[in-house]
Amino acid sequence: MVEEGKMNKEIVISPITRIEGHAKVTIYLGKDDSVKEARFHVTDFRGFEKFCEGRPFYEMPSITSRSCGICPVSHLIASAKACDEIVGVNPPKTAILLRRLIHMGQIIQSHALNFFHLSSPDLLLGMDADPAERNIFGLIEKQPDLAMQGIKLRKFGQELIEKVAGKRIHSSDWILPGGVQWPLPKKKADYLLSTLPEALDITLKTISMFKDRLQGLDEEVQNFGNFPTYYMGLVTATGGLEMYDGNIRVVDQDGKIVADQLDPEKYHEYIGEAVEPWSYMKFPYYKPLGYPDGAYRVGPLARLNVASHCGTPLADKELKEFKKLGKNGVVQSTFLYHYARLIEVLCCIETAKNLLEDPEILSERVTSKAFVNNYEGIGVAEAPRGTLMHHYKVDPQGMIRWVNMIIATEHNNLAYNKAVTQVAKKYVKTKQLREGMLNRVEAVIRAFDPCLSCATHAVGQMPLEVQLIDSEGKLIDRKIR
Amino acid sequence: METVEKTKLATIWLSGCSGCHMSFLDQDELLIDLAKKVQLVYSPIVDVKIFPENVDVTLVEGAVANEEQLSLLKQARAQTKILVSLGDCAVTGNVTALRNAWSDSDQAVLEKAYVETSDEKALIPMAVPKLLKKVHSLHEVVKVDYFIPGCPPSAALINYVLTELLAGRTPNMEGRSKYG
Amino acid sequence: MSVSTVKLKINGVEVTVPEGTMILKAAKDNGTIIPTLCNLEGLTSYGGCRLCLVEISGSPKLFPACSTPVSAGMEVTTESDRLKEYRKMTVQLLLSERTHICSVCVANDQCELQSLANQLGVDHVMFERQWTNDEIDSTHDFLVIDRNRCILCTRCIRVCDEIEGVHTLDLKLRGKDAQVIMDLDDHWVNSCSCTSCRKCAKVCPVGAIYIEGEPVFHTKNKDIAEFILARRNRKWRQ
């Protein structure tokens, strides 16, 4: 698909595969054939901010859960927190523990999905491997033990969600404003504790394997989205890793804390959203620096950059090693999102164990009852891919009048564009297109682990064709996958 | 080396949330058995970029919401023997189709998301696939052979339907057609 | 006291029931369930949903079992390919008439329409769906009506009229435009007759009328009309 633009030549990679959602990349070449810029376009949109209007607020967890099938729990939690505020109650302690538990399950399965099912074919079969085999089915054939480990780790996360909330995906019957619908029976808690050690073992083995391979991946580390940005994430009162509650911390590329313990509900004071005509995904930016200088990253890499500790022993040990890879403990390379992801899985498994062993998690008091007491509610939590915000305004009867959602993946949009530009500049050098070159552009996107259904509150797809055109508009080369 | 001819399976996601694909992956260890019987010739989780010819079974998740999805769906229909609507968005429109309640729904949702709730450069993205006026379920647009309702359909149900189709049988959907 | 009885055949099996019994009850009392939606024990029959249509030999027409009394020598068929096809079509028509999105509905998994569709194997709707967007009336303290989910079974109207006795609810307009209204079509909070007894929510087969903040499985009670009627008529003394 050739598109004429201000630049003379364009290469379009479409669709990006082995990511969640629909996107394409356009690489703009100058007259001298060098890469000038690359852009990351998100190509579908559903419109949650509009069609939720007129629905009762207590349906929002159910509806927003359907933003995304990989991280529906993140939306359930952010939405429930916003609804808690509308209702004006504090959920009982057990309800919070259970919500935290299911959140751990969510992060474990989502990170496992990205690492094993989506990205590992690049890392383990090779970036230049035959595209027909460079996928989870190819992994099942070529490295069956590893594929099985990935399946089992994801299964653990999904079962954690299922046992607590009744359903693996879109378990919206369980969570509600003011708490959760039903408690956790001891039998199920015991079952989860029995399958936990295997998940822990797989995670530790995978981290070890990744670290071993890191030497051979130096090129990727240096060139895949390795550039300075700010970082943002939720932290505890003592600056530790926090996924469910906490306050916002922003850290600059040198590790300096530029803003700390910000109220996440006042997100609008420090985060703005811009629009570009070539993508359905909006562009959040850090307001003090303006647009587009205010680029920042969220997600596993960012969270480990802003946090000083994880709070669980094995994860903290790994975190110390991880931070050594960056200046002042801040790791810039997007490729190392993969490493950060694994450390987060470790932390989540350790945390899940603590939660399951807490006797209070079995208590039956799990709902606080009330109705509309406030006309506005904001819920913020850390989804697997970064900070997620749900903001609702209702009328006195509780009908939604206004919705805004800033989705984890969105925050990284400016960084996405920087990253694909960097990789394209490094690898799209010759007049010959090679398939592995294109795959590398896609691989940096996979490292971010985008969730584009969420990010545009929509989903879509397109086929891929890459064309290389010279300055006279003549087709030099073409690759179709 | 394959000694048995594997069924060519494809999956597509249109305007949905990818939950049905996640449910597909929720078959867990059964995926290993499935990998022996099928060749995944096109899918968001494999790197094939053009929909191939002569596909045996295609599972399609998501409703049709923009022009590119419409043309991909038509292409898939033409190049596939058995087309299956996977999940409520594909079968009924589901949440994706909530915008159909507004006339000029495409404009309404774009205005809200990109103009009313943006701080900088509030404009409607143009250089991206154009939204259709209404969101459609798949069988409003192409002939569909089988339907798997559910939001998402359980992994067990997906496995049942695939097993029946691979064996050349018609799945019995009585008691297996729960929406939601 | 003797009651005269009637002998008839249901699916080839001879049964004996009291005179005046509707086919639906005659079948149920003899182990055969005919699907229904608008019918509710304890309320008068309405015959509106058309799901209980049965075949009676000697006539090409179909008869609603809920409002057709038995007669001597009648031969009723309750299961056939034709009836199955018509039931599936009826469910599809109901699903297409308004905005039915099970996944986000308060009655998900507790809904009689949803479970009937499941039971019959209605895996898709062949008719074009109408995406209605009627405003939800949540003005009442705790009762809510979402008319986008209403299937016009009129159970709520009948229970309010016959059991509670206040007749707050009724229908306005006709055909697919018909709507359940309160009093003279004002917001629920302004109703001068409603006693807030919640029976409408208890008998609603779908997620159209429900109680805010209360899980639907907790609210629904299909036996309420029969129970109150029996108590009122002192039936336990027999």
Side-chain angles (χ1 to χ4, degrees):
Chain A
M1 193 199 324
V2 179
E3 286 175 36
E4 304 238 291
K6 279 187 276 196
M7 307 288 179
N8 289 319
K9 311 176 216 181
E10 290 173 12
I11 305 173
V12 178
I13 306 177
S14 168
I16 311 296
T17 49
R18 290 188 282 126
I19 59 166
E20 195 293 323
H22 301 57
K24 63 179 185 178
V25 167
T26 307
I27 302 171
Y28 298 91
L29 307 179
K31 280 205 178 69
D32 58 350
D33 283 358
S34 67
V35 171
K36 287 281 172 258
E37 191 196 343
R39 282 184 185 164
F40 176 69
H41 316 256
V42 180
T43 51
D44 193 28
F45 172 69
R46 277 175 294 176
F48 280 71
E49 279 115 338
K50 182 68 189 175
F51 63 58
C52 288
E53 282 176 10
R55 301 311 308 165
F57 75 95
Y58 43 82
E59 279 183 12
M60 289 306 281
S62 218
I63 297 176
T64 57
S65 179
R66 271 87 188 170
S67 305
C68 182
I70 298 187
C71 59
V73 170
S74 316
H75 289 283
L76 287 177
I77 286 181
S79 188
K81 287 177 77 177
C83 293
D84 290 342
E85 224 162 85
I86 289 174
V87 166
V89 297
N90 292 321
K93 182 163 181 226
T94 303
I96 304 276
L97 293 177
L98 287 169
R99 285 182 184 180
R100 281 182 180 272
L101 182 60
I102 185 178
H103 201 34
M104 295 297 104
Q106 157 86 89
I107 294 173
I108 292 165
Q109 67 84 1
S110 174
H111 284 355
L113 176 84
N114 175 277
F115 187 84
F116 287 97
H117 297 62
L118 302 178
S119 302
S120 75
D122 291 327
L123 307 175
L124 303 170
L125 301 177
M127 298 267 176
D128 299 300
D130 180 2
E133 293 172 351
R134 200 176 54 210
N135 55 64
I136 182 70
F137 275 50
L139 198 72
I140 289 174
E141 206 175 317
K142 294 229 150 41
Q143 299 205 29
D145 290 333
L146 209 78
M148 184 58 117
Q149 289 196 2
I151 288 174
K152 283 194 167 153
L153 186 58
R154 181 171 174 270
K155 183 178 174 180
F156 173 73
Q158 290 285 69
E159 281 200 323
L160 184 50
I161 298 170
E162 191 179 16
K163 297 291 174 218
V164 176
K167 220 171 133 182
R168 286 188 180 197
I169 302 170
H170 301 321
S171 33
S172 44
D173 290 337
W174 178 77
I175 208 162
L176 62 152
V180 303
Q181 195 75 267
W182 58 80
L184 179 66
K186 187 169 191 307
K187 218 168 62 168
K188 293 191 176 172
D190 288 341
Y191 170 80
L192 292 167
L193 280 167
S194 74
T195 54
L196 192 140
E198 193 184 13
L200 184 64
D201 190 52
I202 293 175
T203 310
L204 288 169
K205 280 201 175 83
T206 311
I207 293 179
S208 178
M209 175 204 61
F210 187 84
K211 283 194 291 193
D212 286 340
R213 289 190 183 228
L214 211 47
Q215 307 286 30
L217 294 166
D218 196 52
E219 198 187 287
E220 281 82 357
V221 173
Q222 294 310 320
N223 295 297
F224 276 42
N226 189 354
F227 47 75
T229 59
Y230 278 34
Y231 300 93
M232 185 179 88
L234 288 171
V235 291
T236 62
T238 54
L241 185 63
E242 172 60 58
M243 305 285 206
Y244 178 83
D245 254 336
N247 291 319
I248 294 275
R249 174 183 280 180
V250 181
V251 153
D252 74 9
Q253 58 267 25
D254 300 314
K256 186 163 123 246
I257 298 175
V258 297
D260 202 9
Q261 301 297 331
L262 294 177
D263 184 355
E265 298 197 14
K266 298 201 165 81
Y267 71 89
H268 228 104
E269 289 175 9
Y270 44 90
I271 295 177
E273 287 185 278
V275 182
E276 294 288 355
W278 37 268
S279 179
Y280 276 127
M281 186 154 79
K282 291 200 271 194
F283 288 78
Y285 59 95
Y286 185 53
K287 274 185 172 168
L289 296 178
Y291 180 80
D293 294 330
Y296 59 92
R297 279 180 277 185
V298 300
L301 187 81
R303 284 193 287 257
L304 295 189
N305 281 341
V306 308
S308 54
H309 54 277
C310 291
T312 58
L314 295 173
D316 272 330
K317 190 159 148 269
E318 293 296 336
L319 181 64
K320 271 203 177 75
E321 239 185 280
F322 172 82
K323 280 190 180 286
K324 287 198 184 106
L325 296 174
K327 192 177 79 167
N328 294 337
V330 171
V331 177
Q332 314 275 17
S333 168
T334 299
F335 186 77
L336 293 174
Y337 261 90
H338 291 304
Y339 189 179
R341 219 161 268 134
L342 294 173
I343 298 177
E344 282 200 331
V345 172
L346 185 56
C347 181
C348 287
I349 293 178
E350 290 184 284
T351 307
K353 182 163 188 286
N354 293 338
L355 287 166
L356 285 164
E357 288 174 344
D358 183 344
E360 275 217 62
I361 207 159
L362 301 173
S363 157
E364 303 221 334
R365 221 197 123 231
V366 291
T367 327
S368 295
K369 285 190 197 275
F371 203 58
V372 177
N373 286 305
N374 299 304
Y375 298 155
E376 195 170 357
I378 305 174
V380 181
E382 284 289 332
R385 292 158 184 83
T387 321
L388 173 63
M389 289 131 173
H390 281 220
H391 187 170
Y392 311 146
K393 292 187 188 155
V394 296
D395 68 17
Q397 273 79 50
M399 298 301 130
I400 295 280
R401 287 292 165 239
W402 183 90
V403 175
N404 191 25
M405 284 155 56
I406 302 192
I407 308 293
T409 295
E410 252 185 273
H411 295 283
N412 286 338
N413 205 357
L414 281 168
Y416 274 109
N417 284 276
K418 274 191 156 112
V420 295
T421 301
Q422 187 184 65
V423 175
K425 276 188 174 162
K426 165 87 182 164
Y427 292 100
V428 179
K429 274 195 179 329
T430 67
K431 290 192 191 292
Q432 282 258 299
L433 287 184
R434 263 193 298 278
E435 197 276 334
M437 165 203 97
L438 305 174
N439 189 32
R440 282 169 173 77
V441 174
E442 293 184 75
V444 77
I445 296 169
R446 289 177 200 124
F448 277 104
D449 188 17
C451 195
L452 302 172
S453 295
C454 291
T456 55
H457 334 322
V459 170
Q461 257 255 359
M462 291 190 322
L464 170 71
E465 184 186 331
V466 177
Q467 296 181 340
L468 186 52
I469 320 275
D470 70 14
S471 50
E472 277 108 33
K474 205 169 64 180
L475 178 67
I476 302 173
D477 200 351
R478 187 187 194 193
K479 278 277 181 296
I480 296 174
R481 299 196 254 176
Chain B
M1 288 300 266
E2 299 156 20
T3 47
V4 177
E5 177 97 14
K6 285 189 179 182
T7 304
K8 295 206 186 73
L9 175 69
T11 75
I12 301 180
W13 60 37
L14 302 178
S15 218
C17 73
S18 71
C20 295
H21 274 72
M22 291 306 109
S23 203
F24 174 86
L25 291 176
D26 276 346
Q27 291 175 87
D28 296 329
E29 292 90 342
L30 293 176
L31 282 173
I32 313 267
D33 299 329
L34 191 67
K36 295 189 183 116
K37 294 189 220 150
V38 307
Q39 190 192 347
L40 197 54
V41 295
Y42 180 90
S43 173
I45 57 171
V46 308
D47 288 344
V48 177
K49 309 285 184 167
I50 302 259
F51 197 87
E53 304 274 349
N54 296 321
V55 180
D56 293 313
V57 178
T58 299
L59 302 175
V60 184
E61 168 187 342
V64 184
N66 70 39
E67 288 180 350
E68 253 150 10
Q69 289 167 0
L70 186 57
S71 77
L72 174 64
L73 178 63
K74 289 183 173 167
Q75 184 188 11
R77 172 70 275 186
Q79 292 166 212
T80 256
K81 289 202 195 77
I82 298 176
L83 194 80
V84 181
S85 281
L86 178 64
D88 277 358
C89 290
V91 175
T92 71
N94 202 24
V95 172
T96 309
L98 268 171
R99 73 165 163 94
N100 286 355
W102 276 265
S103 52
D104 282 335
S105 66
D106 53 339
Q107 275 308 110
V109 297
L110 289 169
E111 281 279 335
K112 185 82 214 190
Y114 297 102
V115 178
E116 289 178 42
T117 55
S118 296
D119 305 276
E120 282 274 334
K121 303 174 77 164
L123 53 86
I124 294 177
M126 284 289 145
V128 278
K130 192 157 173 285
L131 294 185
L132 298 173
K133 281 252 161 272
K134 274 180 71 170
V135 172
H136 298 279
S137 49
L138 305 188
H139 61 283
E140 287 178 30
V141 174
V142 298
K143 179 176 173 300
V144 173
D145 301 302
Y146 298 101
F147 302 82
I148 310 180
C151 185
S154 69
L157 177 57
I158 297 174
N159 186 266
Y160 165 76
V161 174
L162 278 175
T163 306
E164 294 300 285
L165 292 177
L166 289 175
R169 296 187 288 262
T170 303
N172 175 7
M173 296 310 286
E174 283 178 25
R176 295 189 176 91
S177 303
K178 192 183 87 73
Y179 298 102
Chain C
M1 198 168 81
S2 70
V3 178
S4 52
T5 57
V6 170
K7 273 201 181 60
L8 69 149
K9 277 199 179 139
I10 299 181
N11 296 330
V13 176
E14 190 174 86
V15 302
T16 307
V17 295
E19 196 180 340
T21 308
M22 299 298 163
I23 295 175
L24 183 66
K25 188 152 175 15
K28 186 174 172 216
D29 288 347
N30 286 282
T32 299
I33 305 293
I34 300 170
T36 63
L37 274 175
C38 69
N39 182 263
L40 195 71
E41 284 286 340
L43 300 178
T44 54
S45 299
Y46 178 59
C49 71
R50 314 314 279 177
L51 274 167
C52 67
L53 295 177
V54 292
E55 292 170 2
I56 298 181
S57 52
S59 174
K61 287 187 348 175
L62 298 174
F63 295 80
C66 66
S67 36
T68 307
V70 298
S71 61
M74 197 186 243
E75 283 177 33
V76 180
T77 306
T78 70
E79 294 293 335
S80 71
D81 286 340
R82 178 184 172 206
L83 287 177
K84 191 184 245 175
E85 205 45 51
Y86 281 18
R87 283 170 192 160
K88 285 172 81 163
M89 209 181 291
T90 305
V91 169
Q92 288 180 64
L93 283 166
L94 285 169
L95 287 171
S96 70
E97 212 170 56
R98 298 196 178 180
T99 302
H100 292 280
I101 301 181
C102 298
S103 56
V104 300
C105 179
V106 290
N108 189 12
D109 288 336
Q110 310 297 328
C111 172
E112 292 178 46
L113 178 63
Q114 181 188 38
S115 76
L116 193 56
N118 186 11
Q119 192 192 313
L120 293 170
V122 175
D123 58 12
H124 71 285
V125 172
M126 61 170 123
F127 307 108
E128 191 182 327
R129 296 173 84 112
Q130 308 302 310
W131 296 97
T132 58
N133 195 13
D134 294 320
E135 203 181 313
I136 296 174
D137 183 350
S138 185
T139 56
H140 187 282
D141 240 356
F142 50 81
L143 284 163
V144 185
I145 183 166
D146 182 349
R147 295 179 175 92
N148 301 301
R149 298 176 180 151
C150 179
I151 58 170
L152 300 172
C153 72
T154 71
R155 277 192 200 172
C156 55
I157 295 173
R158 283 176 281 145
V159 81
C160 185
D161 174 52
E162 296 167 21
I163 306 294
E164 183 65 7
V166 290
H167 202 120
T168 300
L169 303 173
D170 211 317
L171 281 179
K172 77 168 180 184
L173 302 177
R174 306 169 77 124
K176 66 169 175 56
D177 298 325
Q179 290 196 350
V180 171
I181 55 169
M182 292 83 198
D183 288 349
L184 295 176
D185 194 16
D186 200 345
H187 285 123
W188 213 330
V189 69
N190 295 328
S191 166
C192 52
S193 62
C194 176
T195 59
S196 302
C197 73
R198 308 165 194 232
K199 284 197 272 295
C200 49
K202 288 177 191 290
V203 303
C204 179
V206 297
I209 300 184
Y210 58 91
I211 297 172
E212 269 159 10
E214 185 170 289
V216 164
F217 68 83
H218 201 80
T219 310
K220 300 239 177 275
N221 183 356
K222 278 179 75 175
D223 301 324
I224 189 80
E226 188 184 14
F227 174 68
I228 293 178
L229 205 60
R231 299 273 334 228
R232 198 174 284 161
N233 295 335
R234 305 293 194 259
K235 274 211 172 141
W236 68 82
R237 286 198 182 169
Q238 282 178 334

